Amino acid sequence: MTATLTVLLFEDEGYGGKIKELNEESSDQPNLTNEVTSGVSSIVLKENAKKWQVFTHVNYHGAKVILQPGRRYTSPDAMGLDNPVQSMRRFQTMTPGLTVSLFEDEGYGGPVKELNDESQDQPNLTNEFTNGVSSIVMKEKAKKWQVCTDVNYQGVKVILQPGRRYTSRDAMGLDNPVQSMKRFQETGDVKESDEDEKLIDLSSSSL
């Protein structure tokens, strides 16, 4: 059975130029310039599409916005962007069992890694994030996690709280990205981070 077409991507504004089609089974798109050299400048989302988060640079970097089902975006400006789309991924509002979301860039951008109740401690996040982790979302049901600026739980350490959004390293009380983290157990040798934002609706397009 053929998967249902949900998204149309066009190289030019006004739905012109090279076209790429996505369906309900399509994977995330970390580098659209492999197929559309200049990036994507207009997009049609069918009524049956999911929300997609689009970025102006490859690998989910740069300016980002969330596109809505049943909408036609005739240009980057119509999407709220100054430049064409070079990468995009399905927008996840709440994955069952998900408790922590890790992002390579500040402001919840770049590659993402998700943790749940059964996830192991993370002794070396640089295996997946070259520069470490610079923003983190903790769901209300998450446990406290101790984050560290060096691998193997070394360097500066702080404790992140459930139900909080840490939009940057500074919001966590750190000068450098997180390179390792583990579930917190009371030892008295680390500080708790209070310089953060209360968790808000993840469906906000500002994410």
Side-chain angles (χ1 to χ4, degrees):
M1 183 176 179
T2 304
T4 303
L5 176 67
T6 56
V7 182
L8 297 173
L9 310 176
F10 300 86
E11 184 172 24
D12 298 339
E13 295 186 8
Y15 318 114
K18 186 179 293 186
I19 183 174
K20 177 180 175 66
E21 300 177 346
L22 303 179
N23 59 47
E24 56 195 1
E25 297 178 357
S26 295
S27 59
D28 292 345
Q29 306 290 313
N31 190 354
L32 288 165
T33 63
N34 288 333
E35 300 173 71
V36 186
T37 305
S38 301
V40 171
S41 290
S42 52
I43 299 177
V44 175
L45 271 75
K46 305 289 188 181
E47 291 286 351
N48 60 342
K50 303 294 185 182
K51 291 180 180 180
W52 282 80
Q53 188 174 34
V54 299
F55 301 78
T56 54
H57 298 312
V58 300
N59 295 320
Y60 317 119
H61 294 286
K64 53 188 179 293
V65 295
I66 299 168
L67 304 188
Q68 305 293 327
R71 297 287 300 276
R72 296 169 63 93
Y73 300 88
T74 189
S75 64
D77 184 66
M79 300 179 226
L81 299 172
D82 292 328
N83 297 295
V85 172
Q86 294 192 355
S87 60
M88 58 190 292
R89 63 189 177 198
R90 283 183 176 81
F91 179 67
Q92 302 291 336
T93 55
M94 184 68 77
T95 302
L98 172 67
T99 57
V100 181
S101 296
L102 311 176
F103 300 86
E104 184 170 44
D105 296 346
E106 296 191 351
Y108 319 114
V112 60
K113 177 181 176 70
E114 298 177 344
L115 305 179
N116 58 41
D117 292 335
E118 298 179 357
S119 295
Q120 301 295 314
D121 291 345
Q122 307 289 313
N124 190 354
L125 288 166
T126 62
N127 288 333
E128 299 170 78
F129 299 96
T130 303
N131 299 315
V133 171
S134 290
S135 54
I136 297 177
V137 174
M138 305 275 289
K139 299 295 194 301
E140 292 285 355
K141 61 184 176 180
K143 303 296 185 182
K144 290 182 180 181
W145 281 78
Q146 177 181 309
V147 298
C148 312
T149 54
D150 293 331
V151 300
N152 297 318
Y153 318 118
Q154 301 300 307
V156 180
K157 311 175 183 70
V158 298
I159 303 165
L160 303 189
Q161 306 293 325
R164 301 282 182 168
R165 289 166 57 99
Y166 299 88
T167 190
S168 64
R169 301 185 297 272
D170 184 65
M172 295 183 244
L174 299 173
D175 293 327
N176 297 299
V178 173
Q179 295 192 355
S180 60
M181 60 189 291
K182 61 185 177 182
R183 285 182 174 80
F184 176 66
Q185 297 181 353
E186 295 288 347
T187 61
D189 62 346
V190 293
K191 63 179 180 177
E192 298 197 10
S193 177
D194 293 321
E195 299 295 326
D196 49 31
E197 306 170 61
K198 189 65 178 176
L199 183 65
I200 60 175
D201 184 2
L202 284 180
S203 64
S204 168
S205 61
S206 63
L207 180 59

